[in-house]
Amino acid sequence: MDDSERSEKYNGYTKEEWQIIVSHIINKADRDRTAAAEYVSKISAWMIGQLFIVNAGAITIIGVNGDKWALLFFALGILLALACSLSAWFHAVKEYEYSDLISDPKAMIDQRFFPKPDEKIESTRTNAYMATLVFGILSIAAFAIGAICILIN
């Protein structure tokens, strides 16, 4: 192969070689993204599941004849855990959309095609993430307040 067949456009590779390299890069990026998303989903589901379990378990233990304020806070904890799971799902959808956007093959070949930062997308992703954290922390707080109500009475 002579130098005339190599183009600066393909970083010194032939077009066929460059297409193979880019194909491998894209496949690896997709596998890595999928593996990371699966891991985060499993951990998130486990943590949110724990919020449901502790609040529902507390209601089961104290029963319907228990302290009404404690029951109220444990029920509130379950609702906040539900809100946490919904916001975590929304955040995961937005993260997937964003990673799909930035993994465009054209963007991997040429930086001119890399998407420009979009404040609306960034804001939505950040807000969904913060909502997940806030609902989770409030669910834990509701459980703690319910436990305090039991201890006081």
Side-chain angles (χ1 to χ4, degrees):
M1 171 184 331
D2 62 1
D3 289 336
S4 63
E5 291 180 19
R6 295 189 181 268
S7 169
E8 189 176 305
K9 182 177 182 180
Y10 300 110
N11 294 329
Y13 295 98
T14 64
K15 183 176 182 179
E16 292 78 22
E17 291 171 332
W18 186 248
Q19 287 173 337
I20 291 170
I21 291 169
V22 169
S23 175
H24 285 296
I25 291 171
I26 291 170
N27 289 337
K28 182 179 181 338
D30 284 342
R31 285 191 311 271
D32 291 348
R33 181 180 56 185
T34 301
E38 287 174 359
Y39 177 74
V40 169
S41 295
K42 286 178 184 176
I43 295 297
S44 297
W46 179 83
M47 287 190 295
I48 294 168
Q50 296 307 307
L51 296 175
F52 281 109
I53 289 170
V54 297
N55 284 294
I59 289 174
T60 304
I61 289 171
I62 65 170
V64 236
N65 296 326
D67 183 55
K68 299 301 179 201
W69 283 106
L71 283 173
L72 176 72
F73 280 109
F74 293 141
L76 180 63
I78 291 173
L79 293 175
L80 288 166
L82 178 62
C84 179
S85 66
L86 290 174
S87 59
W89 167 79
F90 184 71
H91 178 253
V93 167
K94 292 301 170 189
E95 284 296 324
Y96 183 79
E97 288 175 358
Y98 180 73
S99 64
D100 196 43
L101 180 68
I102 65 172
S103 65
D104 182 12
K106 289 188 286 186
M108 293 184 162
I109 296 170
D110 191 345
Q111 288 294 320
R112 293 177 297 160
F113 294 106
F114 199 80
K116 303 285 184 262
D118 185 349
E119 287 183 26
K120 183 178 180 186
I121 291 174
E122 288 297 317
S123 174
T124 303
R125 287 174 52 222
T126 303
N127 290 343
Y129 176 74
M130 292 306 293
T132 302
L133 288 177
V134 168
F135 286 134
I137 291 169
L138 288 175
S139 179
I140 293 168
F143 174 77
I145 293 171
I148 290 169
C149 289
I150 291 174
L151 293 175
I152 291 175
N153 291 329

